[in-house]
Amino acid sequence: MDLDLDQHLADASALIAEAADLDALGALDTELLGRKSVVTEARRGLGDLDPDRRREAGSRLNDARAALEGLLEGRRVELEAGERTVRLEAERMDLTELDRGRRLGHRHVVTQTWERLEDLFVGMGYTVAEGPEIEDEWHNFGALNFPPGHPARDMYDTLYVDYGDPLSTLLRTHTSPVQIRVMETEEPPIYSIMPGRVFRSDTADATHMPVFHQIEALVIDRDITFGDLAGTLEAFTTAYFGAGFTSRLRPSYFPFTEPSAEFDIRRPDGSWLELGGCGMVHPNVLRAGGLDPEEWSGFAFGFGLDRLALMRHGIDDLRELFRNDHRFLSQF
Ligand code: DAH
């Protein structure tokens, strides 16, 4: 065989290195390895050789072919990487050019409700207070006039925390314990609201969640009457819901208020919605908060905050609020 394979490989190597793009490389692939290529033609000529020379030449051709394939493949990888870089560069998006107005995130619908309520009560002269989510039994129950073993404790499916004495530490079941914390730290007159997260061992369904939100109000002053409570709730109702809404009170029972009531709001279509509980702060609760019931009186109320968010937006399943599906939440 008079073919100079070394020279052929050197020439091919130079051509491959110069291939400017994948198309040019494809053409070279055909030229160097295809049916009419030097190595293929040479293989055809092997049949004319005697067996020994044929074996030797065949093996050199195989090596040459493998070398060519390696060179082509190496260059292909290089060119592909280059083309990807070019493509990425061309497709690069300037994210700062997106329509900011529509794509910017916003507050969760519960947070919006929470802040509206705060704004409204702050506008009425109330301060905003907070208390711990992990509470002791005294603040969540005892100080609120639930004696140990009192059946009213069963109204709350309490989640206890494995800390300290058994049943001494819990996830607060309502925001009412913050009333006690406010009385402990502030001198009356007190006009405070206490929004927050509360916990009950409930199974999630369309109207219940094991974690939800309440807002509590506490007013302590001299000569506060039940009329003040009713008037405050009425003022709140029209301010929050609008002129077509009114409120009513129905007798009820809570250990920490006496008398106690449920308050409902009447929608413009005449239907009633039960919103929360309220009443005059029980003397035992005033005492637990370090106040003299002869000197001070007050009212309190508390209601679920999530339901307000549902109502306002006509959402009928509480769970939607907490699934955190962006497609849902972005509507509000
Ligand atoms: N804490 C009560 C509950 O979660 C609601 C409540 C009722 C709060 C009466 C009050 C109140 O402040 O006076 O069911």
Side-chain angles (χ1 to χ4, degrees):
M1 195 164 56
D2 42 12
L3 170 61
D4 183 346
L5 271 181
D6 290 339
Q7 186 58 49
H8 179 60
L9 279 179
D11 294 346
S13 169
L15 287 173
I16 291 169
E18 280 163 21
D21 54 32
L22 288 168
D23 284 345
L25 192 68
L28 266 182
D29 192 303
T30 311
E31 185 184 326
L32 294 170
L33 299 172
R35 287 195 308 127
K36 296 193 181 127
S37 63
V38 169
V39 286
T40 307
E41 300 266 334
R43 175 160 290 282
R44 275 191 209 111
L46 288 178
D48 302 337
L49 302 177
D50 64 57
D52 279 353
R53 289 206 55 208
R54 189 192 305 158
R55 200 175 309 114
E56 189 244 345
S59 125
R60 284 182 55 219
L61 273 178
N62 283 346
D63 291 348
R65 198 178 172 87
L68 288 171
E69 283 170 353
L71 288 169
L72 286 161
E73 175 63 14
R75 182 65 181 146
R76 197 171 56 74
V77 169
E78 256 174 45
L79 286 172
E80 277 177 355
E83 290 191 5
R84 190 164 56 243
T85 307
V86 169
R87 193 176 64 244
L88 287 178
E89 187 62 28
E91 290 175 356
R92 189 167 67 168
M93 269 195 288
D94 181 355
L95 296 177
T96 62
E97 284 180 1
L98 291 180
D99 179 348
R100 286 163 185 268
R102 248 175 300 158
R103 288 175 200 250
L104 203 62
H106 66 284
R107 294 203 201 295
H108 189 280
V109 58
V110 171
T111 309
Q112 294 175 35
T113 306
W114 179 316
E115 292 185 347
R116 268 194 83 219
L117 289 165
E118 284 187 355
D119 284 352
L120 198 150
F121 280 105
V122 166
M124 287 164 63
Y126 286 60
T127 58
V128 180
E130 279 183 44
E133 293 180 347
I134 299 180
E135 259 301 4
D136 52 60
E137 183 279 336
W138 166 251
H139 285 90
N140 196 82
F141 288 128
L144 290 166
N145 200 33
F146 293 79
H150 190 286
R153 290 191 183 211
D154 301 341
M155 299 189 326
Y156 304 97
D157 298 302
T158 309
L159 289 160
Y160 287 92
V161 176
D162 186 7
Y163 178 82
D165 292 338
L167 308 189
S168 65
T169 311
L170 44 80
L171 298 180
R172 67 179 178 195
T173 58
H174 51 177
T175 43
S176 300
V178 193
Q179 290 185 29
I180 305 297
R181 296 200 171 267
V182 169
M183 286 187 250
E184 284 168 348
T185 52
E186 282 170 39
E187 294 295 320
I190 293 169
Y191 290 79
S192 278
I193 53 157
M194 300 142 244
R197 189 153 52 166
V198 301
F199 308 83
R200 290 185 199 172
S201 163
D202 254 338
T203 307
D205 64 25
T207 54
H208 296 88
M209 287 296 284
V211 182
F212 57 105
H213 302 88
Q214 286 187 336
I215 183 165
E216 192 84 13
L218 177 68
V219 167
I220 307 278
D221 207 336
R222 291 178 211 278
D223 305 320
I224 294 291
T225 68
F226 200 85
D228 295 319
L229 169 60
T232 302
L233 285 171
E234 182 66 17
F236 158 74
T237 302
T238 41
Y240 187 84
F241 295 100
F245 291 78
T246 52
S247 62
R248 78 175 170 197
L249 298 174
R250 280 180 294 122
S252 186
Y253 172 75
F254 297 97
F256 36 96
T257 41
E258 179 59 33
S260 301
E262 303 274 348
F263 72 96
D264 305 333
I265 56 166
R266 184 180 184 277
R267 302 183 177 102
D269 68 2
S271 63
W272 290 95
L273 179 85
E274 190 179 312
L275 208 63
C278 62
M280 302 306 290
V281 181
H282 194 290
N284 288 348
V285 175
L286 290 171
R287 272 190 285 270
L291 300 178
D292 178 359
E294 299 299 325
E295 187 178 358
W296 302 104
S297 61
F299 66 75
F301 58 87
F303 55 85
L305 195 152
D306 313 285
R307 195 184 292 178
L308 292 191
L310 295 190
M311 252 188 72
R312 184 172 179 77
H313 298 289
I315 305 165
D316 54 15
D317 191 328
L318 188 56
R319 290 166 293 190
E320 293 289 2
L321 295 184
F322 304 108
R323 267 196 254 277
N324 275 347
D325 184 330
H326 169 72
R327 291 162 301 181
F328 175 81
L329 292 175
S330 62
Q331 301 174 84
F332 309 105

